[in-house]
Amino acid sequence: MDCFQRLEALIDSAGAGDVEEANALLRRFKGKSQAVATAMDEFMLDFVTLVFVVETGEEGFEKPLRKLVRTRLAILKHLVAVKA
């Protein structure tokens, strides 16, 4: 399973322990470019927010947040592919 597939799986599970794993997966892209760094920060901010919402049981917010995090991941994936 590649990095982005694993990140997709983490979006689906979105548990407290998944934040550290997502950070570890993203470390390989550090230093690529400022755009990639910004996309990583935006993804992680939204992912942490998703984990918080899932952990607190705010079900009404889960679906739109998952969609947002998937969009952030798609942007990051695109930027990484362009910079490669």
Side-chain angles (χ1 to χ4, degrees), residues 1 12 14 16 25 28 30 41 47 57 59-60 72 77 79:
M1 181 179 294
D12 291 335
L25 289 166
R28 70 182 67 185
K30 290 269 187 206
D41 290 344
F47 183 70
E59 294 177 15
R72 297 281 193 199
K77 187 176 182 178
L79 288 171

Side-chain angles (χ1 to χ4, degrees), residues 31-63:
K32 285 245 181 211
S33 72
Q34 184 59 42
V36 170
T38 300
M40 287 170 47
D41 290 344
E42 290 172 347
F43 170 81
M44 283 307 300
L45 177 63
D46 292 335
F47 183 70
V48 170
T49 303
L50 172 63
V51 169
F52 174 78
V53 166
V54 167
E55 293 288 317
T56 59
E58 298 294 330
E59 294 177 15
F61 295 101
E62 276 187 49
K63 187 176 178 179

